[in-house]
Amino acid sequence: MTPSELSAYFFVQLALIIATCRVVGYAVRRWLGQPQVVGEMIAGVVLGPSLFGYVLPDVQAALFPAETKNVLFVCAQMGVGLYMFLVGLGFRSDHFRSQMGSAAAVSFTGMAAPFLVAVFLAPMLQRVPGLFASDVNQYQATLFLGACIAITAFPMLARIIHERGLTDTKLGSLTLSAGAIDDAAAWTVLAIVLASFGDGPLVAVKAIVGGAAFAGFMLIFGRRLLAPLGRIAEREGKVTHSMLAAVLVLFMLCAFAMDYIGIHAVFGGFVLGICMPRGLLASDVQRQLEPVIMVLLIPMFFAYSGLNTQLTVVNNAELLAIALGILAASILAKGVACYVAARLTGQDVSTSLAIGALMNARGLMELIIINIGLQRGIIGPALFSMLVIMAIATTFMASPLFDLVYGRKHRSTPLTDDPAPVP
């Protein structure tokens, strides 16, 4: 396609994506009591081959030709990275420090239990033709499946917490901290799997060492280096365009660093947000960026993932039974394990259940990992679809379960797509 043709497709795609996300998001909030983010996830799948492409394949293919997906991918990456930057701005590090033991325990248990389940589950799945590629050994299959079960829907979890106005609470900080640690570990494991598929050991070393170095530098020195921005904002009484440009340049560099070492751009944005000075700088940056991110950029992230999702492959009783088995094992390995860890570290029953419900959601971080697995030839289309079903089901469960066990404490918080303000 010529640049002009790509531009024309991009605008019509974006119009359809935004409209579908708003309509489905409203319907899901209004009639199912789900947060906007779940509706947007469903909207992405609706626009892909699983529904739109199944009912009107020629129309869907005409509106979303393969040549345009790379443009959507880049915009999607920027959108979800900027969103996690906003989440980082609202992160309460004092709550994290006060509950570091609980966060570490929940995170460790939420990783260990899924990998233990994968040790038993992976060999059984390898016996079913077409689920894993023929050249994948048991070690690789176990690591990949463990990462898929262990990963948390970090952006989605953050948005559910954000929508409930819990970002600056102990529950929100603990869950976000555990989710961040979980996902960083899962991406590191994925880097090890990719290294075993021919990328070489340096891929895993770069991810582990680079991620630790980046996080350490930002958390130790980042606040001190960024403090002048906060002082300038207070002196000027606002965040000027030049200051906003400086913040965006910093975000792009942090996102680049995380992508370059093989983790994910979202962690660069999240860590930068944590380190930004609080006060006028944080609140004004959020005020200026939030509408564009929420309404324009985030829907592209959901749409891109949905365009790569094909649910109709699970088309017989045996595959459906396997899919349900994976779903049940994933819920036990993640949700129940995180609940137990929270209880053992002193959290009350309702808070522990809320943590288990939120950590059990896989969302689109799962879709990112399994898309990589499909593209790299680790898994086949059938297992890919089963893991998509698991991702959607566990994410759909998160909000109702959270409201059931914890929401009564926050009945005054409306179910809205307008995030809570940064403290």
Side-chain angles (χ1 to χ4, degrees), residues 128-379:
V128 180
L131 296 187
F132 281 101
S134 57
D135 60 341
V136 173
N137 61 41
Q138 186 174 329
Y139 167 77
Q140 294 166 332
T142 299
L143 284 183
F144 183 81
L145 186 62
C148 290
I149 297 175
I151 201 161
T152 295
F154 192 31
M156 194 163 294
L157 177 154
R159 191 163 178 186
I160 291 173
I161 290 174
H162 216 164
E163 288 180 0
R164 291 300 194 276
L166 298 173
T167 303
D168 60 345
T169 67
K170 290 184 178 181
L171 170 66
S173 296
L174 190 157
T175 310
L176 284 173
S177 301
I181 296 169
D182 266 16
D183 279 11
W187 282 105
T188 300
V189 170
L190 180 63
I192 295 172
V193 175
L194 294 178
S196 70
F197 268 79
D199 286 357
L202 286 180
V203 172
V205 172
K206 185 169 68 172
I208 297 169
V209 176
F214 173 81
F217 176 83
M218 291 297 293
L219 294 174
I220 295 172
F221 301 106
R223 289 184 177 89
R224 190 180 308 168
L225 295 173
L226 294 169
L229 278 176
R231 291 194 292 268
I232 294 171
E234 297 292 340
R235 187 174 66 243
E236 295 288 334
K238 63 178 181 179
V239 173
T240 64
H241 288 177
S242 295
M243 293 177 64
L244 182 63
V247 170
L248 288 173
V249 167
L250 289 170
F251 161 77
M252 301 300 174
L253 292 175
C254 290
F256 160 76
M258 290 295 94
D259 259 342
Y260 179 74
I261 65 173
I263 298 181
H264 199 279
V266 296
F267 296 105
F270 181 66
V271 172
L272 176 64
I274 290 175
C275 297
M276 291 294 291
R278 296 307 189 253
L280 180 62
L281 178 67
S283 61
D284 213 18
V285 165
Q286 185 192 36
R287 180 185 61 80
Q288 293 187 50
L289 292 180
E290 189 173 84
V292 174
I293 294 171
M294 299 300 183
V295 178
L296 179 66
L297 296 178
I298 283 291
M300 283 190 276
F301 176 66
F302 289 90
Y304 177 80
S305 295
L307 290 173
N308 291 302
T309 302
Q310 174 60 276
L311 299 180
T312 56
V313 179
V314 182
N315 54 10
N316 63 56
E318 180 188 8
L319 293 179
L320 182 59
I322 294 172
L324 293 175
I326 291 173
L327 173 62
S330 299
I331 293 171
L332 289 172
K334 189 70 176 181
V336 175
C338 288
Y339 161 77
V340 171
R343 285 292 289 145
L344 291 176
T345 54
Q347 303 299 323
D348 60 62
V349 173
S350 62
T351 299
S352 300
L353 286 170
I355 291 169
L358 292 173
M359 293 291 289
N360 186 52
R362 284 10 179 253
L364 291 174
M365 296 303 286
E366 175 82 2
L367 296 184
I368 292 171
I369 275 196
I370 62 179
N371 269 289
I372 292 173
L374 184 66
Q375 293 162 6
R376 295 300 302 270
I378 300 172
I379 59 175

Side-chain angles (χ1 to χ4, degrees), residues 5-35:
E5 289 172 330
L6 280 174
S7 175
Y9 271 103
F10 177 74
F11 288 124
V12 73
Q13 288 172 353
L14 196 51
L16 182 59
I17 289 167
I18 294 173
T20 305
C21 283
R22 303 316 293 183
V23 170
V24 177
Y26 171 79
V28 164
R29 289 202 321 274
R30 177 68 177 80
W31 290 295
L32 298 179
Q34 292 279 349

Side-chain angles (χ1 to χ4, degrees), residues 377-394:
I378 300 172
I379 59 175
L383 182 54
F384 174 84
S385 299
M386 294 174 189
L387 293 172
V388 169
I389 292 171
M390 183 264 282
I392 293 174
T394 55

Side-chain angles (χ1 to χ4, degrees), residues 383-408:
L383 182 54
F384 174 84
S385 299
M386 294 174 189
L387 293 172
V388 169
I389 292 171
M390 183 264 282
I392 293 174
T394 55
T395 304
F396 201 84
M397 292 166 54
S399 187
L401 284 176
F402 176 82
D403 284 339
L404 179 66
V405 302
Y406 194 81
R408 63 177 62 92

